[in-house]
Amino acid sequence: HQNAPSDLLQHLAEADEDDEHLKSICRNQAADAAVLQSLSARKPGDFEREMVGNPNVSADMLQAIYRSGDAYLRAAAAGHANCPLVLMQEAMADQDVLVQRQLAKDARMPAEALKRLAADADTAVRAAVAANPAMPAELQATLARDEAVAVRRALAARTDLAVRLMEQMSTDKDDWVRQWLGRNPALPQSLMRQLADDKVDDVRRAVARNPQCPLALLRHLANDRSDWVRAAVAYQPNADGALMRELAADTDIDVLSGVAANANTAVSLMMKLVRHEEADVRRGVILNPQATRLILLPLLEDPYYLHRLMLVGQPQLTAEDKWRLHDDPDYRVRFSVFSWFARTFAPAKTEAGPKK
């Protein structure tokens, strides 16, 4: 248990004979370094695989695990937040690719080490460097020309990517490179407009999902031939009420679901969509943070149990509204109602205890 006191865990680490119990102690984040050290001293090498994932494992223990473990354990030890610099330097000379992959994605790695790893023969190592926030900017140009698409994809998502490289990658032959670029919030609007006319639907959808996509471009994408692209526009926080009214005339369910869930959708539209025949559309209204009590009330009698279940947690509805579901035909809804009332109206505990 995450609230188990350390003295109890210490006692179990010293006295319990059940290996499954001891493994649970190793995985328990309530176990501090002293508990783990005690257990390691008692049964050296038996539970390293469990200990290496505990955030409280000490630097000394990580060094011991690294030097005695297999490639998986060495990689986990080298990537641990408590891994000391001396051990990371030792791991740089490790020949196993698993260790190198772990180091390549670690933001604590020095620039010179990342430069070396950027030229590694393993694609996953180079891709990890491309995504590493500590990657030196001078490596961008080299990685943008990498023959492996996984490397270019990782690079295309970087918000610090140079504009000239964004221009280069906007015509990359790999669709996913252009998709990641289209989602990149640092992408200049000129390149957004270019990718908004890409021949691949998913690339245009990526632009429609970009958090920096301007309203004018969203209006353009709202008329896209692909339902999937128009649906992305419908879910966009940057889309205004006028665009929501336009998309509300769409016949695609995904588009209408996005309109129903969008906080910029007018109340009059939500009142209409809450009675839509498709469950996905009605669910969108429940998920809309701007949906009022009056809008949600009809859904208390929704034929889909999940919608009634979701309403129990909606703050817009009153306790009286939610009590209407206490005898719901579905046991899951009834359970949710009584759980909500128990949490909401349970007597507050006091330090002084009950009054005499």
Side-chain angles (χ1 to χ4, degrees):
H1 196 284
Q2 295 304 302
N3 293 330
S6 59
D7 57 346
L8 171 60
L9 294 177
Q10 181 73 45
H11 169 72
L12 294 172
E14 294 172 353
D16 201 304
E17 297 295 337
D18 189 298
D19 281 359
E20 292 305 315
H21 294 173
L22 298 178
K23 287 180 181 178
S24 294
I25 294 173
C26 295
R27 290 189 289 259
N28 193 336
Q29 295 188 18
D32 58 22
V35 172
L36 298 175
Q37 186 65 57
S38 176
L39 183 51
S40 179
R42 180 184 171 203
K43 294 201 172 188
D46 285 6
F47 306 117
E48 291 180 336
R49 199 168 297 276
E50 289 75 27
M51 285 188 185
V52 77
N54 193 307
N56 300 317
V57 66
S58 67
D60 290 341
M61 293 182 68
L62 287 171
Q63 287 180 304
I65 291 172
Y66 181 88
R67 289 164 185 163
S68 66
D70 58 19
Y72 291 96
L73 284 175
R74 297 200 307 276
H80 198 283
N82 295 337
C83 180
L85 180 59
V86 63
L87 183 55
M88 292 187 70
Q89 291 172 338
E90 182 178 335
M92 290 178 200
D94 198 305
Q95 296 301 307
D96 196 281
V97 69
L98 292 176
V99 177
Q100 297 303 303
R101 289 174 181 175
Q102 182 65 52
L103 294 174
K105 65 182 180 181
D106 198 315
R108 296 171 297 175
M109 290 292 289
E112 288 304 316
L114 291 176
K115 290 177 184 178
R116 177 180 62 80
L117 291 168
D120 195 275
D122 184 75
T123 296
V125 171
R126 303 195 308 277
V129 173
N132 192 320
M135 183 194 75
E138 61 200 80
L139 292 179
Q140 289 187 4
T142 301
L143 294 173
R145 297 190 300 270
D146 198 285
E147 61 181 13
V149 293
V151 177
R152 304 199 305 276
R153 291 173 184 176
L155 191 68
R158 294 186 66 97
T159 55
D160 62 350
L161 187 60
V163 173
R164 61 183 179 82
L165 296 179
M166 289 184 178
E167 293 172 350
Q168 173 186 320
M169 301 180 81
S170 68
T171 58
D172 195 283
K173 62 183 178 181
D174 181 70
D175 297 349
W176 273 95
V177 170
R178 304 197 306 280
Q179 282 187 58
W180 280 111
L181 195 62
R183 286 288 302 275
N184 193 326
L187 189 69
Q189 291 190 13
S190 59
L191 291 178
M192 281 191 200
R193 289 192 292 271
Q194 175 185 322
L195 293 176
D197 291 323
D198 195 278
K199 62 181 180 180
V200 176
D201 293 353
D202 283 336
V203 176
R204 303 195 304 278
R205 175 179 167 79
V207 176
R209 297 178 66 191
N210 192 307
Q212 298 300 321
C213 189
L215 180 59
L217 193 52
L218 288 174
R219 290 196 179 103
H220 169 72
L221 291 166
N223 296 301
D224 196 274
R225 64 178 180 272
S226 169
D227 298 339
W228 201 226
V229 175
R230 300 197 305 278
V233 176
Y235 280 98
Q236 251 283 4
N238 297 337
D240 61 8
L243 194 50
M244 290 299 102
R245 285 192 295 274
E246 178 183 331
L247 289 171
D250 207 296
T251 57
D252 182 77
I253 299 306
D254 289 323
V255 175
L256 293 176
S257 298
V259 173
N262 197 304
N264 295 319
T265 296
V267 169
S268 58
L269 279 178
M270 281 193 273
M271 292 291 286
K272 178 180 178 181
L273 294 170
V274 78
R275 300 182 183 280
H276 198 278
E277 60 182 8
E278 287 290 340
D280 287 348
V281 178
R282 302 196 302 275
R283 191 178 313 119
V285 176
I286 298 176
L287 296 172
N288 194 318
Q290 299 301 319
T292 65
R293 173 178 177 267
L294 291 178
I295 291 173
L296 294 178
L297 280 177
L299 293 170
L300 289 170
E301 299 178 2
D302 195 275
Y304 188 22
Y305 88 92
L306 178 61
H307 292 170
R308 305 193 304 276
L309 187 68
M310 293 171 67
L311 289 174
V312 176
Q314 294 301 103
Q316 302 95 312
L317 297 179
T318 66
E320 289 78 7
D321 297 332
K322 296 174 184 182
W323 184 247
R324 289 166 54 183
L325 297 172
H326 80 280
D327 58 352
D328 192 272
D330 193 282
Y331 73 93
R332 290 162 291 195
V333 177
R334 298 196 302 272
F335 179 83
S336 181
V337 170
F338 284 102
S339 295
W340 184 87
F341 273 88
R343 292 191 306 270
T344 304
F345 297 106
K349 295 180 180 179
T350 63
E351 293 294 332
K355 293 182 179 179
K356 295 183 180 179

